[in-house]
Amino acid sequence: MGRPSRRAATAAIETHIAVLKGDPLKAALATALREAEGLGGQERRFVALAARELSRHTRLLDLAARQLGHSPGKHALTEDTALVRYALWRRLFCGEGWTRIGPEVKLPGPVRPRTLHDAVLEGLVTKPLVEPAAPEGPEAIVERLATRYSFPGWLTQRLAQVYPEGTLAGLMASLDDEPSLHFRARPPGTRDAVLAALAEEGVAAEAVACAPDALRVADASHRIFESKTMKARRLQVQDVGSQLIVLACLPPGTTLTGLTVADVCAGAGGKTLGLADLVGAKGKVLAGDRSKRRLSDARERVREFGLKQVTFPHPVPLDAVDVVLVDAPCSGTGSLAREPDQKWKLSAKAITEFQATQSALLAEVAAQVKPGARIVYATCSVLPEENDTVVERFLAKHPDFALEPVGEGWAPELQVGVDGPYLRALPPRVPGGGFFAARLVRKAG
């Protein structure tokens, strides 16, 4: 978890204050780390973890605060709310007492202004907590899970309508946990060689069975980023489900080698790199995105990896491609482990708006592709409104397209993420975030 210190606590709390005022967690964290002076590597790791944890466990931390007489609604300042949550997180999730927590939060600082005296924070850390009575009635399961895993009630209710309790508990637990780092070995098919190279450098890593090139680093020191293997571009940071989406772009029984593929929502280029490795030097990847800022990140990564087969035409000529990946804008409910602040910004209305955007985007792409071309529709959502429903409504309006099962011909160990005709990579069954993909083919003629 890194090394806590007063300076690290200050940066973590300032990050949470910015999040409470509306900033995205990633941006707030980047700002706090940039402005913090003299933080070591282990302190920076602690800041990043603490900042995510404060958003991740908000509901549970606020429940404890209410029991101790400090409901967030009573705080005069946002800074007070952040201080209370930090002190309670160090107590409840780190198992620390006032001896350790006090030096991190005592006046003067670590943030100003504030109205809470040191004695108040000490009381939050030392006063006994009584476990609340278990809720009763038909909503008991939803209430218990929402509290235990700090999810909004409306979102927990919706997930409970989709997944049985056993699956739901595992899914929510995974999305409420600090995510592991997963990598893709490159070029494809060289995972064993990459693992052997890492072992020679003393970096402990292991294969992840449910994706052919996926691996997980067991060494928490993050030495892998300084390894020769990483610097030689033999590794790319990429979630397992994201790797499976790229795999879903493979036409059944064949390869992408030499084909032309479009990634129309390329974002920062994670899947673009994977597609480039699959098409090879003789193929083409045409990348585009409506966000110029995110696409600039993709351009930089493509340059770093030296991928000459990737270009960024505008507009992307979809009538000339064999496969189109539509990694649609979505709620990101499958990525809440990495972006826990988003679960408090989502709403049922937002889900409906995402669905409308996804349907419009899919229809726009479909109108341009040639007969025989494939569209892979994907999201990082675990909600059927953004997944199955979008695909089914599309097929009902577009009889010239057919649903082609994902996973056809995949090895048995890869089938763990396949659900009927769809890719549905759900944690913890598939480690990492939650992802969805469907493959649609335009009928000839």
Side-chain angles (χ1 to χ4, degrees), residues 185-206:
R186 54 187 308 271
T190 63
R191 179 170 62 185
D192 289 345
V194 168
L195 286 170
L198 288 173
E200 286 184 7
E201 295 190 68
V203 178
E206 58 189 12

Side-chain angles (χ1 to χ4, degrees), residues 245 326-330 358 377-382 386-387 434-437:
I245 288 175
V326 181
D327 188 14
C330 70
Q358 293 151 359
Y377 172 77
T379 74
C380 56
S381 173
V382 296
E386 301 179 89
N387 298 334
F435 295 85
F436 172 88

Side-chain angles (χ1 to χ4, degrees), residues 164-171:
E165 183 179 357
T167 302
L168 178 59
L171 173 63

Side-chain angles (χ1 to χ4, degrees), residues 117-389:
H117 298 293
D118 292 346
V120 173
L121 294 176
E122 182 177 4
L124 289 169
V125 173
T126 57
K127 290 180 181 177
L129 275 167
V130 179
E131 187 168 340
E136 299 180 358
E139 300 298 321
I141 294 175
V142 171
E143 180 68 19
R144 175 170 54 80
L145 290 174
T147 301
R148 171 64 183 84
Y149 300 114
S150 277
F151 266 63
W154 73 269
L155 181 55
T156 309
Q157 181 67 53
R158 183 65 193 103
L159 292 171
Q161 294 169 351
V162 179
Y163 302 104
E165 183 179 357
T167 302
L168 178 59
L171 173 63
M172 293 180 70
S174 297
L175 296 178
D176 190 49
D177 200 7
E178 183 70 6
S180 299
L181 267 179
H182 293 97
F183 297 81
R184 179 178 65 86
R186 54 187 308 271
T190 63
R191 179 170 62 185
D192 289 345
V194 168
L195 286 170
L198 288 173
E200 286 184 7
E201 295 190 68
V203 178
E206 58 189 12
V208 177
C210 55
D213 297 307
L215 58 93
R216 173 175 44 232
V217 176
D219 185 346
S221 71
H222 287 199
R223 286 184 300 155
I224 189 170
F225 291 102
E226 300 302 320
S227 68
K228 295 178 182 178
T229 307
M230 191 77 182
K231 292 179 179 179
R233 308 302 182 197
R234 297 295 306 278
L235 286 167
Q236 175 197 342
V237 177
Q238 189 173 29
D239 219 331
V240 178
S242 182
Q243 296 182 45
L244 290 173
I245 288 175
V246 173
L247 194 64
C249 294
L250 288 170
T254 183
T255 69
L256 287 177
T257 303
L259 297 183
T260 299
V261 179
D263 186 359
V264 296
C265 301
K271 298 179 184 68
T272 305
L273 301 182
L275 291 169
D277 283 342
L278 289 180
V279 303
K282 294 183 179 180
K284 295 180 181 178
V285 177
L286 313 178
D289 196 281
R290 292 177 179 177
S291 169
K292 291 183 179 180
R293 179 189 60 79
R294 297 189 69 196
L295 200 59
S296 68
D297 293 337
R299 291 177 188 272
E300 181 60 32
R301 295 179 78 183
V302 166
R303 281 194 293 268
E304 287 178 2
F305 279 80
L307 298 170
K308 304 296 185 182
Q309 64 269 48
V310 180
T311 58
F312 298 86
H314 181 74
V316 177
L318 296 181
D319 58 344
V321 305
D322 302 293
V323 181
V324 182
L325 173 59
V326 181
D327 188 14
C330 70
S331 64
T333 47
S335 302
L336 293 178
R338 296 197 184 281
E339 299 184 70
D341 58 316
Q342 292 303 308
K343 60 185 170 184
W344 309 112
K345 298 177 181 179
L346 281 175
S347 66
K349 180 182 177 183
I351 303 300
T352 302
E353 292 171 350
F354 276 120
Q355 186 188 65
T357 300
Q358 293 151 359
S359 296
L361 179 59
L362 189 53
E364 179 184 337
V365 170
Q368 301 176 62
V369 299
K370 63 187 179 181
R374 289 172 171 83
I375 299 174
V376 175
Y377 172 77
T379 74
C380 56
S381 173
V382 296
L383 294 171
E385 296 96 313
E386 301 179 89
N387 298 334
D388 316 46
T389 302

Side-chain angles (χ1 to χ4, degrees), residues 191 208-212 240 244 247 409-418 429-431:
R191 179 170 62 185
V208 177
C210 55
V240 178
L244 290 173
L247 194 64
W410 288 10
E413 63 269 19
L414 307 184
Q415 297 287 336
V416 68
V418 177
R429 185 176 61 194
V430 174

